[in-house]
mmCIF file with all atom_site columns, all heavy atoms in Angstrom:
data_model
loop_
_atom_site.group_PDB
_atom_site.id
_atom_site.type_symbol
_atom_site.label_atom_id
_atom_site.label_alt_id
_atom_site.label_comp_id
_atom_site.label_asym_id
_atom_site.label_entity_id
_atom_site.label_seq_id
_atom_site.pdbx_PDB_ins_code
_atom_site.Cartn_x
_atom_site.Cartn_y
_atom_site.Cartn_z
_atom_site.occupancy
_atom_site.B_iso_or_equiv
_atom_site.pdbx_formal_charge
_atom_site.auth_seq_id
_atom_site.auth_comp_id
_atom_site.auth_asym_id
_atom_site.auth_atom_id
_atom_site.pdbx_PDB_model_num
ATOM 1  N N   . HIS S 1 104 ? 4.004   8.668  -35.587 1.00 93.00 ? 118 HIS S N   1
ATOM 2  C CA  . HIS S 1 104 ? 2.939   7.687  -35.398 1.00 93.00 ? 118 HIS S CA  1
ATOM 3  C C   . HIS S 1 104 ? 3.150   6.946  -34.090 1.00 93.00 ? 118 HIS S C   1
ATOM 4  O O   . HIS S 1 104 ? 3.400   5.748  -34.096 1.00 93.00 ? 118 HIS S O   1
ATOM 5  C CB  . HIS S 1 104 ? 2.887   6.713  -36.572 1.00 93.00 ? 118 HIS S CB  1
ATOM 6  C CG  . HIS S 1 104 ? 2.508   7.396  -37.853 1.00 93.00 ? 118 HIS S CG  1
ATOM 7  N ND1 . HIS S 1 104 ? 1.205   7.656  -38.189 1.00 93.00 ? 118 HIS S ND1 1
ATOM 8  C CD2 . HIS S 1 104 ? 3.276   7.885  -38.847 1.00 93.00 ? 118 HIS S CD2 1
ATOM 9  C CE1 . HIS S 1 104 ? 1.170   8.267  -39.354 1.00 93.00 ? 118 HIS S CE1 1
ATOM 10 N NE2 . HIS S 1 104 ? 2.403   8.425  -39.776 1.00 93.00 ? 118 HIS S NE2 1
ATOM 11 N N   . PRO S 1 105 ? 3.098   7.670  -32.970 1.00 96.00 ? 119 PRO S N   1
ATOM 12 C CA  . PRO S 1 105 ? 3.290   7.015  -31.669 1.00 96.00 ? 119 PRO S CA  1
ATOM 13 C C   . PRO S 1 105 ? 2.117   6.092  -31.386 1.00 96.00 ? 119 PRO S C   1
ATOM 14 O O   . PRO S 1 105 ? 1.025   6.292  -31.939 1.00 96.00 ? 119 PRO S O   1
ATOM 15 C CB  . PRO S 1 105 ? 3.321   8.185  -30.695 1.00 96.00 ? 119 PRO S CB  1
ATOM 16 C CG  . PRO S 1 105 ? 2.500   9.239  -31.359 1.00 96.00 ? 119 PRO S CG  1
ATOM 17 C CD  . PRO S 1 105 ? 2.721   9.093  -32.814 1.00 96.00 ? 119 PRO S CD  1
ATOM 18 N N   . ILE S 1 106 ? 2.335   5.155  -30.494 1.00 97.00 ? 120 ILE S N   1
ATOM 19 C CA  . ILE S 1 106 ? 1.278   4.176  -30.190 1.00 97.00 ? 120 ILE S CA  1
ATOM 20 C C   . ILE S 1 106 ? 0.049   4.832  -29.551 1.00 97.00 ? 120 ILE S C   1
ATOM 21 O O   . ILE S 1 106 ? -1.071  4.378  -29.779 1.00 97.00 ? 120 ILE S O   1
ATOM 22 C CB  . ILE S 1 106 ? 1.847   3.032  -29.334 1.00 97.00 ? 120 ILE S CB  1
ATOM 23 C CG1 . ILE S 1 106 ? 0.821   1.980  -28.991 1.00 97.00 ? 120 ILE S CG1 1
ATOM 24 C CG2 . ILE S 1 106 ? 2.485   3.506  -28.053 1.00 97.00 ? 120 ILE S CG2 1
ATOM 25 C CD1 . ILE S 1 106 ? 0.987   0.707  -29.719 1.00 97.00 ? 120 ILE S CD1 1
ATOM 26 N N   . CYS S 1 107 ? 0.239   5.917  -28.765 1.00 98.00 ? 121 CYS S N   1
ATOM 27 C CA  . CYS S 1 107 ? -0.896  6.582  -28.129 1.00 98.00 ? 121 CYS S CA  1
ATOM 28 C C   . CYS S 1 107 ? -0.832  8.082  -28.378 1.00 98.00 ? 121 CYS S C   1
ATOM 29 O O   . CYS S 1 107 ? 0.253   8.657  -28.342 1.00 98.00 ? 121 CYS S O   1
ATOM 30 C CB  . CYS S 1 107 ? -0.895  6.382  -26.603 1.00 98.00 ? 121 CYS S CB  1
ATOM 31 S SG  . CYS S 1 107 ? -0.602  4.707  -26.085 1.00 98.00 ? 121 CYS S SG  1
ATOM 32 N N   . LYS S 1 108 ? -1.986  8.706  -28.591 1.00 97.00 ? 122 LYS S N   1
ATOM 33 C CA  . LYS S 1 108 ? -2.000  10.162 -28.716 1.00 97.00 ? 122 LYS S CA  1
ATOM 34 C C   . LYS S 1 108 ? -3.333  10.736 -28.257 1.00 97.00 ? 122 LYS S C   1
ATOM 35 O O   . LYS S 1 108 ? -4.291  9.999  -28.008 1.00 97.00 ? 122 LYS S O   1
ATOM 36 C CB  . LYS S 1 108 ? -1.689  10.573 -30.161 1.00 97.00 ? 122 LYS S CB  1
ATOM 37 C CG  . LYS S 1 108 ? -2.578  9.935  -31.218 1.00 97.00 ? 122 LYS S CG  1
ATOM 38 C CD  . LYS S 1 108 ? -2.170  10.445 -32.590 1.00 97.00 ? 122 LYS S CD  1
ATOM 39 C CE  . LYS S 1 108 ? -3.195  10.152 -33.641 1.00 97.00 ? 122 LYS S CE  1
ATOM 40 N NZ  . LYS S 1 108 ? -3.073  8.836  -34.273 1.00 97.00 ? 122 LYS S NZ  1
ATOM 41 N N   . LYS S 1 109 ? -3.356  12.067 -28.123 1.00 97.00 ? 123 LYS S N   1
ATOM 42 C CA  . LYS S 1 109 ? -4.578  12.821 -27.793 1.00 97.00 ? 123 LYS S CA  1
ATOM 43 C C   . LYS S 1 109 ? -5.280  12.327 -26.520 1.00 97.00 ? 123 LYS S C   1
ATOM 44 O O   . LYS S 1 109 ? -6.468  11.992 -26.552 1.00 97.00 ? 123 LYS S O   1
ATOM 45 C CB  . LYS S 1 109 ? -5.556  12.774 -28.966 1.00 97.00 ? 123 LYS S CB  1
ATOM 46 C CG  . LYS S 1 109 ? -5.036  13.496 -30.195 1.00 97.00 ? 123 LYS S CG  1
ATOM 47 C CD  . LYS S 1 109 ? -6.136  13.601 -31.250 1.00 97.00 ? 123 LYS S CD  1
ATOM 48 C CE  . LYS S 1 109 ? -5.602  14.154 -32.537 1.00 97.00 ? 123 LYS S CE  1
ATOM 49 N NZ  . LYS S 1 109 ? -6.266  13.624 -33.717 1.00 97.00 ? 123 LYS S NZ  1
ATOM 50 N N   . GLY S 1 110 ? -4.544  12.295 -25.442 1.00 98.00 ? 124 GLY S N   1
ATOM 51 C CA  . GLY S 1 110 ? -5.142  11.887 -24.171 1.00 98.00 ? 124 GLY S CA  1
ATOM 52 C C   . GLY S 1 110 ? -5.315  13.074 -23.233 1.00 98.00 ? 124 GLY S C   1
ATOM 53 O O   . GLY S 1 110 ? -5.202  14.227 -23.653 1.00 98.00 ? 124 GLY S O   1
ATOM 54 N N   . SER S 1 111 ? -5.605  12.760 -21.971 1.00 98.00 ? 125 SER S N   1
ATOM 55 C CA  . SER S 1 111 ? -5.746  13.829 -20.984 1.00 98.00 ? 125 SER S CA  1
ATOM 56 C C   . SER S 1 111 ? -5.627  13.246 -19.584 1.00 98.00 ? 125 SER S C   1
ATOM 57 O O   . SER S 1 111 ? -5.784  12.043 -19.386 1.00 98.00 ? 125 SER S O   1
ATOM 58 C CB  . SER S 1 111 ? -7.130  14.477 -21.109 1.00 98.00 ? 125 SER S CB  1
ATOM 59 O OG  . SER S 1 111 ? -8.115  13.524 -20.789 1.00 98.00 ? 125 SER S OG  1
ATOM 60 N N   . LEU S 1 112 ? -5.327  14.115 -18.654 1.00 98.00 ? 126 LEU S N   1
ATOM 61 C CA  . LEU S 1 112 ? -5.381  13.703 -17.247 1.00 98.00 ? 126 LEU S CA  1
ATOM 62 C C   . LEU S 1 112 ? -5.982  14.840 -16.437 1.00 98.00 ? 126 LEU S C   1
ATOM 63 O O   . LEU S 1 112 ? -6.056  15.980 -16.897 1.00 98.00 ? 126 LEU S O   1
ATOM 64 C CB  . LEU S 1 112 ? -4.003  13.297 -16.708 1.00 98.00 ? 126 LEU S CB  1
ATOM 65 C CG  . LEU S 1 112 ? -2.833  14.270 -16.699 1.00 98.00 ? 126 LEU S CG  1
ATOM 66 C CD1 . LEU S 1 112 ? -2.980  15.306 -15.602 1.00 98.00 ? 126 LEU S CD1 1
ATOM 67 C CD2 . LEU S 1 112 ? -1.540  13.499 -16.459 1.00 98.00 ? 126 LEU S CD2 1
ATOM 68 N N   . GLU S 1 113 ? -6.420  14.491 -15.201 1.00 95.00 ? 127 GLU S N   1
ATOM 69 C CA  . GLU S 1 113 ? -7.086  15.467 -14.341 1.00 95.00 ? 127 GLU S CA  1
ATOM 70 C C   . GLU S 1 113 ? -6.228  15.711 -13.124 1.00 95.00 ? 127 GLU S C   1
ATOM 71 O O   . GLU S 1 113 ? -5.708  14.762 -12.537 1.00 95.00 ? 127 GLU S O   1
ATOM 72 C CB  . GLU S 1 113 ? -8.364  14.812 -13.807 1.00 95.00 ? 127 GLU S CB  1
ATOM 73 C CG  . GLU S 1 113 ? -9.644  15.334 -14.363 1.00 95.00 ? 127 GLU S CG  1
ATOM 74 C CD  . GLU S 1 113 ? -10.827 14.657 -13.697 1.00 95.00 ? 127 GLU S CD  1
ATOM 75 O OE1 . GLU S 1 113 ? -10.936 14.672 -12.444 1.00 95.00 ? 127 GLU S OE1 1
ATOM 76 O OE2 . GLU S 1 113 ? -11.631 14.094 -14.445 1.00 95.00 ? 127 GLU S OE2 1
ATOM 77 N N   . VAL S 1 114 ? -6.099  16.968 -12.724 1.00 95.00 ? 128 VAL S N   1
ATOM 78 C CA  . VAL S 1 114 ? -5.487  17.231 -11.415 1.00 95.00 ? 128 VAL S CA  1
ATOM 79 C C   . VAL S 1 114 ? -6.432  18.124 -10.614 1.00 95.00 ? 128 VAL S C   1
ATOM 80 O O   . VAL S 1 114 ? -7.171  18.909 -11.187 1.00 95.00 ? 128 VAL S O   1
ATOM 81 C CB  . VAL S 1 114 ? -4.093  17.903 -11.497 1.00 95.00 ? 128 VAL S CB  1
ATOM 82 C CG1 . VAL S 1 114 ? -3.036  16.922 -11.936 1.00 95.00 ? 128 VAL S CG1 1
ATOM 83 C CG2 . VAL S 1 114 ? -4.104  19.118 -12.410 1.00 95.00 ? 128 VAL S CG2 1
ATOM 84 N N   . THR S 1 115 ? -6.372  17.965 -9.286  1.00 90.00 ? 129 THR S N   1
ATOM 85 C CA  . THR S 1 115 ? -7.169  18.834 -8.422  1.00 90.00 ? 129 THR S CA  1
ATOM 86 C C   . THR S 1 115 ? -6.253  19.947 -7.930  1.00 90.00 ? 129 THR S C   1
ATOM 87 O O   . THR S 1 115 ? -5.236  19.689 -7.284  1.00 90.00 ? 129 THR S O   1
ATOM 88 C CB  . THR S 1 115 ? -7.719  18.037 -7.218  1.00 90.00 ? 129 THR S CB  1
ATOM 89 O OG1 . THR S 1 115 ? -8.356  16.869 -7.734  1.00 90.00 ? 129 THR S OG1 1
ATOM 90 C CG2 . THR S 1 115 ? -8.710  18.843 -6.421  1.00 90.00 ? 129 THR S CG2 1
ATOM 91 N N   . LEU S 1 116 ? -6.594  21.182 -8.247  1.00 91.00 ? 130 LEU S N   1
ATOM 92 C CA  . LEU S 1 116 ? -5.770  22.321 -7.833  1.00 91.00 ? 130 LEU S CA  1
ATOM 93 C C   . LEU S 1 116 ? -6.024  22.631 -6.352  1.00 91.00 ? 130 LEU S C   1
ATOM 94 O O   . LEU S 1 116 ? -7.032  22.209 -5.788  1.00 91.00 ? 130 LEU S O   1
ATOM 95 C CB  . LEU S 1 116 ? -6.102  23.530 -8.710  1.00 91.00 ? 130 LEU S CB  1
ATOM 96 C CG  . LEU S 1 116 ? -5.870  23.304 -10.208 1.00 91.00 ? 130 LEU S CG  1
ATOM 97 C CD1 . LEU S 1 116 ? -6.183  24.578 -10.995 1.00 91.00 ? 130 LEU S CD1 1
ATOM 98 C CD2 . LEU S 1 116 ? -4.419  22.874 -10.475 1.00 91.00 ? 130 LEU S CD2 1
#
Side-chain angles (χ1 to χ4, degrees):
H118 295 278
I120 180 108
C121 313
K122 54 179 195 273
K123 295 189 186 147
S125 65
L126 60 74
E127 251 183 55
V128 286
T129 309
L130 300 182

